[in-house]
Each structure stands twice: as C-alpha cells, then as structure tokens.
C-alpha cells in the first residue's frame, strides 16, 4: 500500500494547478488535513497556501519537491463543504484554485494570521478617570470629556478627533481609562419583538411547499410582483430553519439594501445576524466570517461574495432579486453567485429559494422545464395596488431639457396631492457629450473610444469607462472657437432643471456622484422615506428593492437605448429594469402611476410589457433566444484579450482559433475573434472570441484544455487575457 507523504497545496498564483510540498519537518503527515493553511516558500517569496489533498506520489522528481515552512492551523480553517465548492468553482469557471480559495478567506486569514476572535475595542472612564483634571494635557482632556457621556469605539473616536491613540495609551497607563473588548456580534435589545404577519393564501402555499423540503436539495423560483410579500415569505421560512438550529444564507444584490433588510430581520428574530459585504472593515469582516463558521450567527446576509461564507450548519439558501446582474463577478474569477448558490445547495442538500419580480430567463427556463419548482405571488400584499403604466410619445411632444410637458404636468398633479415623484435616468453627470457648434468636435477620452461626460458642479470632464478626467475647456480642442455646448442630459442636469422649475420643492439626487461620501446614501434614502424629499432623481441605484411608500409617480426619462442595444440580454435587462422601477410606485396606500418617455411608443416590447406584463415578455424573449440559439438555450464562453499594440489582442485570439481548430471538438462554434464593441479602453486595444455550444458538458473539456494552453502561450504573456464562462454581456 502506498503511503501518503505529499501535500498538494492551493497557492495563490495565476497558474491552474496544485503545488506539491513535503510537510514541515516538525509536522507528522497524519496531522495534516485538507483545509489547513501552510506557509511555503514559493519562488522568492513566502506564501500562504491551503491544503487541498494528500498524495502518495508526485509527478515531480523527489529532489525538486520543497518542504513547507510552517503549518498554520491545527484545525482545518476551510470545511470539507467549502473545499468541495472551491474545486467546483475552479473547474467550472476555469480559475486557479489557489485564487478561488482566497475568495473564501477574509484578509487577515489570507495573510496567515492565527484564527482568533477579535471583537471591537471600546474605551470608557474608570472611577478615577471621571474625576480627572488634565489641564496640562489638552489632548487627554479632550478624550476624557468625550468619554464622560458614553464609552466610545475606535470608529467613533475617529469621528470626533484625530491622533487619539497615543494620549489614550497614556490615559490607560494612568488607570484613568479602561479598554474592553465587545463580543463581535451582538443582538440588539429590540430584536425579535415584531410578530409575523398573517400570510395570505399565496404566501402560505409558498411557505408550506418550501418548508416541507427542508433537509433536501430542491430549487424553487418564487416569482412575485414587487410588493407581493416575498420578504415576508423568506422571514416565515427562516423560523423552522432556526428551530432546527440550522443557519440561513441570504444573498442580496446590493450593499445599499443590506441595512434595510438586516433591520427587518432583526426586528423579527432575536438571533445573531452576520452581515458580509464590501463595505465592512477588516475587523468586521473577520468577525462575520468567524461567527458564521462557528454557527453562532444564525442568519448570514451578504452580497455576491457571501456565497462563499463558511457555514457550520446550513439549512436554507435564499437569493433575493435573483435576476440581478451584480451577482456576477466581472473580474478575476468571474463566478455567478446565484448559480454557485444553487450548486452549494445541491452539494449540501438544502433547499434554495430564488426570489424575483422579474426572474432571469435562465431561471424561468429551469422553472418551465421542471428543474425548479415554480411558486407565484400575484397579488400585492397589504393594501397596495399595482401601478398604472403609460407612455409619453416624445415624437409628439418634444421634451424641454429632458422633460416632456406631459411629464411636468403629471409631476405637478402628484406633488399637489402630497405624493412623492421618482424620476429615473440611467446616466449620471451633467451631459454625456461636450460638442463644438463651430466645427463638430466632441471632447473624447484620450484613452478610450468614448466621449467624456460633462460634470458641471466640479467643472470637469470625466470618462466613465476609465476614470480619466480633466478641467472642462473653455474653447474647442480642434478649432479654438468658444462655441462649446453640453449635449444631452444626465442626472446632474435634470436636478438643475428641476430646481429651477420647482423652486419650492425639495429635490434629492441619488447616483454614484452624489453618494460618494460614507453615510450619504443612507442619509438621502432616509430623507426620502421620512417624506422630506418631494422629487427624487436618480440612476439605477434607485431601481432596486427600496421601499418608498409615498412615491406615487415614477417617470422614466430615457429608455430608448436599451431597446436597440446589440447585446443579446439588453431587452431582458430593460424589461426587468422597467418593472423594477415601476415597482417603486404605489407601494403604500396611494395608487401609483408610471410614465415612460419614449420615441418608440409602438415598440412591441413596451406594448407587451404594459398590456400583458413581465411574464409574457419573458416568454416572448425566451422564444427568440431559442430561435437564435442563445442562452439559456446554449452555453457561451468568451476569451477576452487586450494589449497596448493595436493588433496584438486580435492576433493572439486568432492563434487561439487556429489552435482550437486542430482540436477534435464537435458541436462547438467559434465566433470571432472580433474587436470589442468599445475597442480601446484605458489605452488598450481589446478583442474577443466567443465560444458557443449547446450544453456546458460539450465545452467543458475544451475549456479545461484551453486554460493551460493560454497560460503557456508566449504571446499570451504579452497580452492580458481572461476567460469568462456564462458571460453576462458581450461588451
Ligand atoms: P416584496 O419583498 O415582494 O417586495 P414585502 O415582503 O416587502 O414584498 O412586502 C411588501 C409590504 O407588504 C411590506 O410592507 C410588508 O410588511 C407587507 N406585507 C407582506 N406580507 C403581508 C401580509 N401577509 N399581511 C400584511 N402585510 C404584508
Ligand atoms: Zn470646434
Ligand atoms: Zn476613458
């Protein structure tokens, strides 16, 4: 019998393989278990690696195998369940397992730190501190004064003063201040006080059907119109899971939605809830990770990357707004969190509930074919009624600065009736183009094939693709005349127009520019909910999940672009966006109204959406996709490449095609290479090659062989390339 003696480690490098090492001299192989971390010498650096498997033999000659430096964990830090998910992710998305494993660890653990619980420190005054008189040390006195009313954490101290750490240390040494560590997750005092609502008949069916399948892998699609009470269904499903002492994983598309959802969950359940998203600091991230790994956090709520959360005792996965594109990671390992969530549910044998008012065509196809069980909520819960949708024909009434007369008229009506108005325009900035009326010149980004956007308040031109910016010029860059005009509308310009047109109304703009500072978005959303804001103008940040009960009119200012985009998902995404934005209207007691400004009031998609709703449009779009053989009726992968030299990316992809044509694969179509729709970005020329097949099974072996070939190709080291499996868009 062969004896295990080799560690096969996932090392964070862009090479898709495991690396063989001997155990450190002082560690017996019987004490080595998959999921432990090791420190190893790799090339000239030290790296933290995770043990994936043990082996008896290596392909390397014995004298080439190095000895690992150190074992970093006694108990495996990644469970067998997570390792299995890591292997699946690596294989499916053709991404090196060493990097996939990194996605599963908070930063502190990636760098090899020991796993130990770290709560937040708070400082408070001791009894002597309360009496202290420190006139000679003003900085210390400032701290003591600040602590008189309440204990403060580092974050709170940072807000009140700078460089407090040294004086704090002195105060501690004098015994005037005490430092204590809070447990990293706490349950707030009012948690669990709210009662469940009495479910309506449709909700009860959904709850019962899913609850019956706890302990088994069954995927469900919950298709429920906005405001139909999907979240209430989630809440009532969590109860039986908690009763069985299991954990629930809830994935959401947006950070901005988490506070709202978390507080709703806290009101219902008095259990520790871990939150995972990119807005956390490292301490909070580590805390959430650990509490979820130990099982102390009963509910784990997070965005995309939380699909990799360590869960000791998972009982149910819920993916809210499952159609949302932000579940797809667009760099590095390009995974789709919804799809991985389904894989995880199947590996762990728990049910998974995908919820949406506008399901993705992928999930709908799975529901129609019986792979997923399809549940419906067709009525709005509570008193709210569905909004009425109408179109404003821009050919008949030319808009003034982006707003048609009919829109202004309706706005006045709703405002006079104490309703709030939400205007949606998916373009931030003041205007998308700066144009010379004398010679036709437009201000372009020097690094991209794109115009720069005019930002009025900052007086700058910015490229929204690469971040390039410069001051807005006074004169034309070509002819030197001073006849420059800003063409078209962005949210910043509409805000100005509104301020001039409605001087007595409170206008709030919500887009990436107006919410850059921490807390700004929350504060603006709160002012809307409290009814302080009359008119909201914003980008798609407004479209998702927010509950504004007093909004009675929603206006869509410009949607025509989505009707004619070349991308195969554009119409699906437009239909979803329209329904989601429209869903912001009339969520309270008052009826809602939706007005769509368009030059295309006869467009079949718009007509069908208004008359028959999203489900009907989705069926039409599915039929079209089947006809042309695109997802979900086919599988796509894209090889993308970019290079500074003009044709290098195309040349490289042509080499890929030449190579692939010598490989014995049938039923795989190669489309391209072609230049990317926006060929130059950040000074690099970009190209892409589309690989298409009927099923993933058919392409999997090809992709698995392609990745090592790309890694080994000489030109491949000069161009930047990436593989995108199941790409969201072809842009
Ligand atoms: P969705 O998640 O589908 O948008 P929510 O769960 O947020 O819907 O429900 C919309 C509103 O209706 C919320 O204010 C919620 O409290 C209320 N609601 C949901 N279910 C019920 C119910 N069964 N009875 C009364 N109110 C309900
Ligand atoms: Zn000019
Ligand atoms: Zn640019």
């Amino acid at each position: 019998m062969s004896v295990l003696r080799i560690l096969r480690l996932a090392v964070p490098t862009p090479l898709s393989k495991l690396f063989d090492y001997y155990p450190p001299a002082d560690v017996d192989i019987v004490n080595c278990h998959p999921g432990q971390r090791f420190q190893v010498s790799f090339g000239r650096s030290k790296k933290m690696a995770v043990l994936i498997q043990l082996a008896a033999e290596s392909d390397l000659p014995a004298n080439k195998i190095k000895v690992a430096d150190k074992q970093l964990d006694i108990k495996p830090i990644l469970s067998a369940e997570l390792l299995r998910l890591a292997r699946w992710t690596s294989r499916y998305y053709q991404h090196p397992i060493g990097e996939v494993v990194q996605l599963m660890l908070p930063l502190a653990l990636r760098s090899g730190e020991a796993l130990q619980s770290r709560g937040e420190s708070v400082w408070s005054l001791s009894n002597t501190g309360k009496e202290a008189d420190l006139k000679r040390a003003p900085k210390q006195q400032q701290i003591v004064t600040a602590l008189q009313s309440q204990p403060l954490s580092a974050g709170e101290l940072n807000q009140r003063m700078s460089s407090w750490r040294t004086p704090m240390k002195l105060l501690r040494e004098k015994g005037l201040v005490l430092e204590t560590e809070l447990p990293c997750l706490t349950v707030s005092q009012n948690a669990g006080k709210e009662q469940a609502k009495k479910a309506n008949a449709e909700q009860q069916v959904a709850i019962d059907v899913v609850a019956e399948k706890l302990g088994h892998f069954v995927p469900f699609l919950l298709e429920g119109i906005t405001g139909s009470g999907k979240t209430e269904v989630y809440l009532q499903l969590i109860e039986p899971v908690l009763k069985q002492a299991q954990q629930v994983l809830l994935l959401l598309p947006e950070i901005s939605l988490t506070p709202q959802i978390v507080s709703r969950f806290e009101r219902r359940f008095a259990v520790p809830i871990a939150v995972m998203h990119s807005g956390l600091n490292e301490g909070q991230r580590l805390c959430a990770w650990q509490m979820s790994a130990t099982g102390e956090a009963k509910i784990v709520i997070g965005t995309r990357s939380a699909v990799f959360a360590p869960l000791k005792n998972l009982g149910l996965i819920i993916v809210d707004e499952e159609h949302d594109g932000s579940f797809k990671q667009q760099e590095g390992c390009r995974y789709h969190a919804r799809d991985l969530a389904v894989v995880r549910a199947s590996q762990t044998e728990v049910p998974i509930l995908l919820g949406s008012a506008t399901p993705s065509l992928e999930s709908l196809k799975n529901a129609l074919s019986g792979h997923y069980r399809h549940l419906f909520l067709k009525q709005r819960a509570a008193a709210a009624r569905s909004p009425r949708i109408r179109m404003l024909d821009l050919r008949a009434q030319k808009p003034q600065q982006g707003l048609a007369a009919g829109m202004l008229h309706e706005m006045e009506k709703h405002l006079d009736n104490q309703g709030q108005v939400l205007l949606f325009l998916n373009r931030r900035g003041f205007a998308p183009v700066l144009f010379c009326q004398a010679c036709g010149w437009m201000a372009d980004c020097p690094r991209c094939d794109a115009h720069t956007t005019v930002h009025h308040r900052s007086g700058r031109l910015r490229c929204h693709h690469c971040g390039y910016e410069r001051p807005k010029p006074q004169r034309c860059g070509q002819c030197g005349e001073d006849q420059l005009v800003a063409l078209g509308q962005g949210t910043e310009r509409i805000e100005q127009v509104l301020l001039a047109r409605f001087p007595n109304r409170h206008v709030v703009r919500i887009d990436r520019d107006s919410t850059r500072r921490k807390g700004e978005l929350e504060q603006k959303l709160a002012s809307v909910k409290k009814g302080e804001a009359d008119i909201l103008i914003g980008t798609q940040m407004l479209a998702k999940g927010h509950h504004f009960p007093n909004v009675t009119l929603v206006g869509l200012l410009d949607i025509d672009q989505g009707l004619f985009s070349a991308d195969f998902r554009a119409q699906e995404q437009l239909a979803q966006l329209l329904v989601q934005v429209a869903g912001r209207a009339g969520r309270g007691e008052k009826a809602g109204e939706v007005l769509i400004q368009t030059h295309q009031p006869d467009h079949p998609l718009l007509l069908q959406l208004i008359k028959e709703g999203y489900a009907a449009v989705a069926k039409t779009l599915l039929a079209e996709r089947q006809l042309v053989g695109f997802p979900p009726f086919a599988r796509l992968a894209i090889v993308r490449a970019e290079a500074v030299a003009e044709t290098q990316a195309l040349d490289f992809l042509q080499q890929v095609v030449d190579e692939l044509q010598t490989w014995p694969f049938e039923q795989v179509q190669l489309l391209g290479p072609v230049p990317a729709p926006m060929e130059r970005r950040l000074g690099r020329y970009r190209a892409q090659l589309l690989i298409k097949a009927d099923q993933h099974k058919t392409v999997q072996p090809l992709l698995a062989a392609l990745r090592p070939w790309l890694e080994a190709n000489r030109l491949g080291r000069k161009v930047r390339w990436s593989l995108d499996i199941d790409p969201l868009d072809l842009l």
Side-chain angles (χ1 to χ4, degrees):
M1 202 183 83
S2 58
V3 183
L4 297 176
R5 57 201 186 90
I6 309 273
L7 308 179
R8 311 210 65 205
L9 298 176
V11 181
T13 74
L15 290 176
S16 22
K17 57 177 195 153
L18 294 173
F19 294 85
D20 293 353
Y21 284 82
Y22 290 124
D26 58 343
V27 177
D28 193 323
I29 191 103
V30 300
N31 293 323
C32 295
H33 306 288
Q36 287 167 336
R37 292 172 304 161
F38 287 82
Q39 181 190 301
V40 297
S41 307
F42 189 82
R44 270 184 232 150
S45 59
K46 301 277 183 207
K47 285 197 194 279
M48 187 286 289
V50 173
L51 177 58
I52 301 295
Q53 49 185 223
L54 297 159
E57 299 298 332
S58 171
D59 294 338
L60 294 173
N63 62 357
K64 291 268 186 234
I65 304 178
K66 286 194 252 178
V67 178
D69 300 347
K70 253 201 290 201
Q71 187 179 40
L72 297 172
D73 305 303
I74 305 294
K75 274 176 64 185
I77 187 165
L78 290 178
S79 64
E81 192 224 345
L82 274 185
L83 289 178
R84 194 163 37 161
L85 185 65
R87 279 196 299 268
W88 197 97
T89 306
S90 166
R91 199 167 53 235
Y92 186 87
Y93 291 104
Q94 294 303 328
H95 201 80
I97 189 149
E99 292 186 355
V100 172
V101 163
Q102 298 278 309
L103 292 174
M104 299 182 157
L105 295 172
L107 205 61
L109 301 180
R110 276 183 221 173
S111 62
E113 253 179 58
L115 179 57
Q116 50 164 310
S117 158
R118 272 196 321 205
E120 209 182 2
S121 280
V122 287
W123 290 269
S124 56
L125 293 178
S126 66
N127 283 336
T128 42
K130 285 179 190 147
E131 324 268 271
D133 181 9
L134 295 152
K135 287 209 187 62
R136 301 240 204 102
K139 197 79 202 184
Q140 293 179 31
Q141 180 61 52
Q142 195 188 350
I143 294 178
V144 168
T145 311
L147 295 179
Q148 287 293 1
S149 47
Q150 58 181 352
L152 295 172
S153 67
E156 292 163 334
L157 283 158
N158 283 334
Q159 282 174 3
R160 289 173 171 75
M161 61 193 88
S162 58
S163 54
W164 49 268
R165 292 212 180 248
T166 315
M168 185 69 87
K169 197 163 155 249
L170 298 172
L171 286 169
R172 266 192 61 193
E173 284 163 6
K174 288 189 242 172
L176 301 177
V177 159
L178 304 171
E179 182 177 347
T180 36
E181 200 170 285
L182 292 178
C184 78
L185 263 195
T186 48
V187 179
S188 74
Q189 295 222 314
N190 289 321
K193 296 269 164 68
E194 190 182 274
Q195 291 291 310
K197 304 240 158 46
K198 168 131 186 49
N200 64 30
E202 287 178 325
Q203 287 174 319
Q204 197 59 54
V205 169
I207 295 162
D208 293 343
V209 170
V210 181
E212 194 201 326
K213 295 297 177 191
L214 292 178
H216 306 274
F217 167 60
V218 184
F220 295 92
L221 175 62
L222 178 62
E223 181 171 359
I225 61 169
T226 38
S228 60
K230 292 185 291 298
T231 314
E232 185 61 35
V233 169
Y234 305 158
L235 288 163
Q236 297 201 24
L237 270 170
I238 288 172
E239 270 169 48
V241 181
L242 296 182
K243 277 210 189 92
Q244 297 182 14
Q246 290 186 309
Q247 295 167 288
V248 177
L249 173 64
L250 170 67
L251 299 181
L252 299 174
E254 284 280 314
I255 313 184
S256 70
L257 293 178
T258 44
Q260 182 183 334
I261 284 263
V262 171
S263 74
R264 199 160 158 193
F265 278 52
E266 274 174 355
R267 273 179 269 138
R268 192 65 66 84
F269 301 111
V271 301
I273 299 178
V275 180
M276 297 184 174
H277 57 66
S278 60
L280 303 181
N281 65 36
E282 284 312 318
Q284 294 168 320
R285 207 183 299 272
L286 186 62
C287 162
W289 194 89
Q290 278 185 297
M291 294 298 108
S292 150
T294 58
E296 279 165 81
K298 301 299 175 201
I299 302 175
V300 177
I301 300 179
T303 48
R304 182 172 68 221
S305 61
V307 73
F308 296 121
L311 291 153
K312 185 153 185 247
N313 198 1
L314 179 60
L316 172 69
I317 304 180
I318 300 168
V319 182
D320 194 24
E321 312 283 3
E322 66 85 29
H323 64 279
D324 198 289
S326 56
F327 284 121
K328 171 90 172 167
Q329 168 114 330
Q330 297 285 22
E331 57 181 33
C333 178
R334 293 163 188 252
Y335 65 89
H336 198 300
R338 175 202 60 216
D339 297 347
L340 276 185
V342 175
V343 170
R344 187 164 185 181
S346 108
Q347 291 183 339
T348 320
E349 296 191 30
V350 300
I352 177 166
L353 181 59
L354 309 177
S356 176
T358 53
S360 63
L361 297 189
E362 275 73 10
S363 297
L364 270 178
K365 175 173 174 260
N366 280 322
L368 293 170
S369 69
H371 280 101
Y372 294 177
R373 303 212 23 201
H374 206 167
L375 304 167
F376 295 93
L377 300 180
K378 296 187 171 169
Q379 310 294 323
R380 281 202 162 187
R385 276 172 291 155
S386 294
R388 190 162 69 111
I389 306 181
R390 283 185 298 143
M391 284 188 275
L392 275 179
D393 186 351
L394 292 183
R395 296 168 311 184
Q397 39 177 311
K398 216 174 158 312
Q400 296 291 316
Q401 300 196 286
L403 296 165
M407 182 68 79
L408 290 168
H409 178 75
E410 279 300 317
M411 287 175 68
E412 263 157 19
K413 224 173 71 189
H414 281 263
L415 291 168
D416 288 344
N417 285 327
Q418 271 73 53
Q420 286 173 310
V421 174
L422 187 161
L423 298 180
F424 175 82
L425 176 62
N426 216 2
R427 201 184 299 123
R428 65 194 171 88
F430 184 78
V433 190
L434 186 67
F435 175 78
C436 172
Q437 285 174 309
C439 75
W441 174 82
M442 297 185 218
D444 288 337
C445 174
R447 306 192 292 205
C448 305
D449 292 333
H451 304 309
T452 45
T453 300
V454 184
H455 286 256
H456 191 72
R457 201 162 297 173
S458 60
R460 295 179 81 78
L461 297 179
R462 273 192 208 126
C463 173
H464 286 185
H465 302 280
C466 75
Y468 166 86
E469 59 171 270
R470 64 176 172 122
K472 185 176 151 221
Q474 295 306 314
R475 292 181 172 275
C476 171
Q478 185 167 280
C479 72
E481 295 290 324
D482 60 352
Q483 297 188 41
L484 296 176
V485 287
L487 281 190
Q489 277 85 30
T491 45
E492 194 189 355
R493 185 174 216 161
I494 299 288
E495 180 190 26
Q496 276 201 358
V497 174
L498 293 170
L499 287 169
R501 184 69 172 61
F502 299 94
N504 301 321
R505 301 291 183 181
H506 187 130
V507 179
V508 170
R509 170 162 64 99
I510 296 189
D511 58 28
R512 223 172 344 127
D513 301 313
S514 74
T515 56
R516 247 174 241 286
R517 268 171 288 146
K518 211 174 165 177
E520 212 166 5
L521 176 62
E522 291 72 23
Q523 177 233 318
K524 288 192 173 198
L525 290 173
S527 88
V528 177
K529 279 180 205 164
K530 274 186 270 167
E532 290 163 9
D534 300 308
I535 308 175
L536 279 118
I537 165 77
T539 56
Q540 62 184 358
M541 284 179 101
L542 278 182
K544 298 178 184 171
H546 299 292
H547 188 61
F548 305 130
N550 212 23
V551 167
T552 56
L553 174 66
V554 168
L556 296 115
L557 302 187
D558 183 5
I559 52 139
D560 290 355
Q561 230 176 18
L563 291 171
F564 299 104
S565 163
D567 195 72
F568 77 99
R569 278 188 225 269
Q571 297 214 347
E572 175 188 356
Q573 286 163 352
L574 177 65
Q576 289 166 344
L577 186 74
L578 285 181
V579 174
Q580 297 284 343
V581 180
R584 303 304 117 216
R587 289 177 63 96
E589 316 264 298
K590 300 184 199 166
E593 195 145 7
V594 179
L595 277 183
I596 302 175
Q597 295 192 156
T598 176
H599 289 92
Q600 306 293 330
D602 305 323
H603 195 286
L605 177 110
L606 292 179
L607 290 175
Q608 193 180 23
L609 195 62
I610 290 173
K611 283 209 195 93
E612 300 167 58
Y614 178 81
V617 168
K619 286 220 175 75
T620 306
L621 293 176
L622 267 176
E624 283 174 20
R625 296 267 186 93
Q626 186 159 28
L627 206 64
V628 295
F630 260 71
F633 298 94
R635 291 308 188 109
L636 298 179
I638 295 187
V639 192
R640 295 194 177 85
E642 52 177 67
V644 179
E646 186 164 353
T647 58
Q648 217 166 34
L650 272 175
D651 290 347
F652 171 65
L653 293 182
Q654 188 56 50
Q655 282 188 19
V656 176
V657 171
D658 294 344
E659 174 69 22
L660 287 178
Q661 272 162 351
T662 69
W663 293 7
F665 290 104
E666 280 166 38
Q667 290 156 348
V668 176
Q669 262 179 292
L670 303 178
L671 306 168
V674 292
M678 189 176 83
E679 188 176 8
R680 209 163 55 96
R681 206 184 130 184
L682 247 173
R684 292 172 165 267
Y685 290 87
R686 312 181 308 148
Q688 58 195 38
L689 167 67
L690 195 59
I691 301 174
K692 184 160 160 266
D694 284 352
Q695 304 175 46
H696 185 77
K697 270 210 308 268
T698 326
V699 262
Q700 176 75 26
L702 178 146
L703 295 169
L706 177 58
R707 169 96 204 187
W709 187 88
L710 291 168
E711 285 172 10
N713 185 286
R714 287 200 22 227
L715 190 50
R717 292 188 202 141
K718 291 198 194 129
V719 301
R720 268 192 220 156
W721 55 266
S722 64
L723 264 176
D724 189 352
I725 315 297
D726 303 335
L728 212 53
D729 50 49
L730 308 183
L731 303 178

